[in-house]
Amino acid sequence: MNSFVTSFKELAKNLNIKYKDINLYFQAFTHKSYSNEHKVPCNERLEFIGDAILDFLVGEFMFETYPDMPEGELSKKRAAFVCEEANKNYSLKLGLDKLILLGKGLEKEGGRTRPAVLGDLFEAFLGALYLDNKKLSEVRKILKMVVFPNIIGEAAYLKDYKSELQEQIQAENRKSVNYVLENEVGPSHDKTFTISVYFENVKLGEGVGKTHKEAEQLAAKQALDKLAK
């Protein structure tokens, strides 16, 4: 606990968090594998409330940002920013991964880098932040750092170019396109991926992104642009 307190105080300072109950955050960073070994509460209940708050605040932001967008499209866009892969990236950007408490087995198995573990951690952290302050504004402050800028930036993977490309290809035959990881560079918390899309061994497009999903969507977009010419 003492080691966690020291690390969390540094994190809180970096993120400008004025906390009241550090025990809430200790629970938020406690994975069930650590909980089982040390007989302390895990972060699953905090994850539950954090998930609901994240959904709401991202939905609120998108509702205000896209006043003319229909409900179905809003839901699709939100799903791109509130998912396991996205939440994992938010945890890494905030540095939450450095504080997570894991059981010995999971730690050895690389649990600190698992998308599911880091995605759940982000939601649990938001849950603790809300319960500690009872203010959505405090959670919104964190989302302004790592979530909302991506939405404003209108990342290309928001539109489902992969599905559109597949539909075009299958309109002429039943074969599918194939996505190949060509390269990845950077440290584990900040990788950049290069992925190409092929059809019958012919390269149709290439995409570079911070996640596999983004790179694939950008590759599909490039392929669609070529096919449209």
Side-chain angles (χ1 to χ4, degrees):
M1 179 68 167
N2 290 337
S3 175
F4 174 82
V5 169
T6 301
S7 298
F8 181 75
K9 284 182 176 179
E10 185 65 26
L11 178 72
K13 181 181 178 181
N14 292 338
L15 300 181
N16 194 27
I17 295 172
K18 296 182 174 66
Y19 62 89
K20 300 173 184 176
D21 183 1
I22 199 166
N23 290 311
L24 270 173
Y25 299 96
F26 182 77
Q27 182 177 346
F29 283 86
T30 300
H31 187 265
K32 62 183 177 181
S33 61
Y34 184 94
S35 169
N36 291 336
E37 290 181 9
H38 297 268
K39 308 305 178 187
V40 292
C42 73
N43 62 8
E44 290 181 343
R45 282 175 56 82
L46 290 174
E47 175 199 338
F48 168 77
I49 192 167
D51 175 54
I53 292 169
L54 179 61
D55 260 356
F56 170 71
L57 289 179
V58 172
E60 176 191 59
F61 180 80
M62 297 188 73
F63 183 84
E64 294 171 352
T65 303
Y66 303 103
D68 300 318
M69 187 173 290
E71 181 271 339
E73 190 63 23
L74 283 170
S75 294
K76 284 183 181 180
K77 285 183 179 291
R78 181 173 60 180
F81 295 108
V82 182
C83 62
E84 184 178 281
E85 181 67 21
N87 291 348
K88 177 204 76 173
N89 290 330
Y90 305 147
S91 277
L92 291 172
K93 286 181 180 179
L94 293 172
L96 306 185
D97 58 307
K98 298 178 178 65
L99 277 71
I100 190 169
L101 302 166
L102 302 172
K104 293 179 181 178
L106 187 58
E107 184 75 74
K108 289 180 180 178
E109 294 169 6
R112 196 169 294 273
T113 61
R114 288 187 182 179
V117 172
L118 294 177
D120 291 347
L121 171 62
F122 180 66
E123 293 176 344
F125 172 69
L126 297 183
L129 187 61
Y130 170 73
L131 291 175
D132 191 32
N133 295 276
K134 289 298 194 294
K135 292 179 181 178
L136 287 174
S137 59
E138 291 300 309
V139 181
R140 194 179 285 113
K141 199 163 64 175
I142 295 297
L143 301 189
K144 284 180 179 179
M145 294 181 192
V146 293
V147 182
F148 295 165
N150 293 331
I151 299 174
I152 294 171
E154 278 295 290
Y157 64 83
L158 282 178
K159 183 174 179 181
D160 193 358
Y161 293 108
K162 286 181 66 178
S163 294
E164 187 176 339
L165 176 62
Q166 192 61 45
E167 288 173 5
Q168 283 202 24
I169 295 294
Q170 291 191 331
E172 298 182 11
N173 59 65
R174 295 181 179 275
K175 296 182 180 179
S176 299
V177 295
N178 183 39
Y179 292 88
V180 177
L181 175 64
E182 307 282 13
N183 189 31
E184 63 178 86
V185 295
S188 60
H189 67 281
D190 189 27
K191 283 188 177 294
T192 298
F193 303 94
T194 300
I195 292 179
S196 297
V197 57
Y198 292 85
F199 178 67
E200 294 187 329
N201 296 320
V202 176
K203 183 175 177 178
L204 300 180
E206 180 180 284
V208 179
K210 301 304 292 183
T211 67
H212 278 239
K213 181 176 181 179
E214 182 181 7
E216 287 176 353
Q217 291 286 3
L218 289 170
K221 182 179 185 300
Q222 188 180 95
L224 286 166
D225 291 342
K226 287 181 179 179
L227 292 174
K229 293 178 181 179

